[in-house]
Amino acid sequence: MRITLPRIGLGGAPLGNMFHPLSEETADATLKAAWDAGFRYYDVSPHYGAGLAEQRFGRLLSGKPRDEYVLSTKVGRLLQPASQPENAKPFVDELPNKRVPDYSADGARRSIEDSLERMGVDRLDVVFIHDVSEDQWGPQWKEYFQQAMNGAAKALTQLRDEGVIRGWGLGVNLVEPCRMALEQSDPNVFLLAGRYSLLEHDEALDTLFPTCQARGVGVVVGGPFNSGVLAGGDHYEYDQIPPQVAQRREQLKAVAERCGVDLRAAALHFCLANPVVASVIPGTANPERPKQYMEYFNTRIPSEFWQALKLEGLLREDAPVPT
């Protein structure tokens, strides 16, 4: 059964010191700004800063009434104390913890317990099995995937059936694991980062979203700005922007400027127009951004913009757009 989530949430990766260090004061100010702007869905992971992001989210959320917000985190990597930070790309100045891959049922349960302790909260709403995908583990990824289907997925299904969590799914950057999970298990929702955006949406539209629609499985869109490229940033896929992506961004910007549209607002609304999408979760480490994101969310994008994108071949004819 598909679960209902707030339509916009805050992605937690930047608060794990993604790309650059972040002071505790700035982290706290960013999260306070998100709460004050009306954000009530927060997504985080032990992977983000090796526990750092969860600690920071906990400082905000542990003091808020638990029924007033939705919280998701991830399983698949257990954290063990280490003598020095791993600083696993793209994170820097992490907590001194070692990541240990563990997609077993017991590992998922332990990961949840650890996350609850780090954040100082008593329950999670949604749990995602994190990064069971080729971009993270290379050729070994299918071994981890099967471990997850035989272990973590079964544990999370049991927790959902017992009412301990509301739902579970995968949190990944690639479409293929989501398709496979639908064949082998019973997820409620996927967190799919960077694969459904103004820049890239073909594979999701063709191979995943129809099955999600038929099964009542929702999708949370992470990375709606594709690691920042659609928001004027310097990264795509957590790395440098390839020339062809930069060219497409410039084409999208030109149409947006001609139609008087902020491309960042359009990026959010494009994701939300698809009936499969339950929520979109842009991330930030800047206290000014949450209010801006909420303003984009509340902006209406003129139909002429979407028509122009389709006329110029920048958007497929069958891609859902806001009405």
Side-chain angles (χ1 to χ4, degrees):
M1 183 178 70
R2 181 171 172 177
I3 62 175
T4 302
L5 299 170
R7 294 288 280 162
I8 186 170
L10 186 73
L15 288 154
N17 287 357
M18 186 166 71
F19 304 130
H20 55 78
L22 185 68
S23 72
E24 298 306 318
E25 293 77 14
T26 302
D28 289 347
T30 300
L31 287 163
K32 181 180 184 299
W35 185 271
D36 291 346
F39 283 83
R40 292 298 182 268
Y41 172 32
Y42 301 92
D43 175 76
V44 67
S45 169
H47 179 48
Y48 304 156
L52 181 60
E54 285 190 327
Q55 279 192 1
R56 287 168 166 172
F57 272 76
R59 286 204 297 269
L60 172 84
L61 297 177
S62 61
K64 301 297 183 184
R66 185 60 189 85
D67 291 339
E68 291 190 11
Y69 62 88
V70 175
L71 177 62
S72 60
T73 192
K74 305 179 182 75
V75 300
R77 295 179 178 93
L78 294 173
L79 301 182
Q80 295 180 353
S83 59
Q84 59 186 12
E86 287 186 322
N87 290 333
K89 188 178 178 180
F91 301 102
V92 300
D93 286 6
E94 300 181 323
L95 294 181
N97 289 317
K98 178 184 177 183
R99 298 167 176 82
V100 179
D102 191 332
Y103 291 99
S104 68
D106 287 344
R109 295 187 187 97
R110 180 179 164 190
S111 183
I112 289 171
E113 291 172 2
D114 291 348
S115 290
L116 292 174
E117 183 176 348
R118 271 190 293 271
M119 290 189 281
V121 298
D122 62 0
R123 72 177 188 274
L124 301 170
D125 296 289
V126 178
V127 178
F128 296 109
I129 302 173
H130 203 186
D131 286 340
V132 276
S133 51
E134 187 174 13
D135 63 312
Q136 296 297 318
W137 303 113
Q140 192 180 4
W141 81 272
K142 289 190 177 179
E143 295 176 25
Y144 283 129
F145 180 87
Q146 283 310 133
Q147 185 186 59
M149 292 298 99
N150 296 328
K154 292 183 178 179
L156 296 177
T157 298
Q158 182 178 355
L159 291 174
R160 179 191 65 195
D161 293 346
E162 293 172 352
V164 177
I165 61 175
R166 290 171 52 196
W168 72 273
L170 306 187
V172 290
N173 300 322
L174 298 177
V175 172
E176 184 181 6
C178 299
R179 295 197 303 264
M180 292 170 59
L182 286 171
E183 295 170 356
Q184 300 185 33
S185 60
D186 185 32
N188 303 85
V189 60
F190 295 120
L191 198 173
L192 184 61
R195 299 286 78 78
Y196 192 70
S197 72
L198 277 176
L199 276 176
E200 183 175 340
H201 45 267
D202 288 348
E203 186 181 8
L205 278 177
D206 289 338
T207 71
L208 178 63
F209 282 19
T211 309
C212 288
Q213 181 82 348
R215 290 269 296 270
V217 174
V219 173
V220 174
V221 174
F225 305 133
N226 286 103
S227 300
V229 62
L230 288 175
D234 299 325
H235 295 92
Y236 171 76
E237 292 293 285
Y238 315 106
D239 210 329
Q240 293 183 332
I241 301 172
Q244 67 271 22
V245 172
Q247 179 183 9
R248 187 171 175 85
R249 175 180 64 178
E250 293 309 306
Q251 292 173 314
L252 290 166
K253 281 175 60 178
V255 176
E257 290 170 4
R258 196 166 71 237
C259 296
V261 168
D262 190 308
L263 189 59
R264 296 165 293 188
L268 295 183
H269 284 275
F270 170 74
C271 298
L272 289 166
N274 194 298
V276 167
V277 173
S279 184
V280 61
I281 53 167
T284 187
N286 183 333
E288 297 179 3
R289 293 287 181 263
K291 182 180 178 182
Q292 292 175 353
Y293 290 165
M294 200 59 77
E295 290 172 352
Y296 302 153
F297 175 70
N298 290 316
T299 296
R300 184 185 176 278
I301 309 297
S303 59
E304 293 80 12
F305 172 73
W306 308 112
Q307 293 168 1
L309 290 186
K310 291 186 176 184
L311 281 172
E312 297 196 17
L314 296 171
L315 193 60
R316 308 173 27 154
E317 279 295 332
D318 62 344
V321 295
T323 55

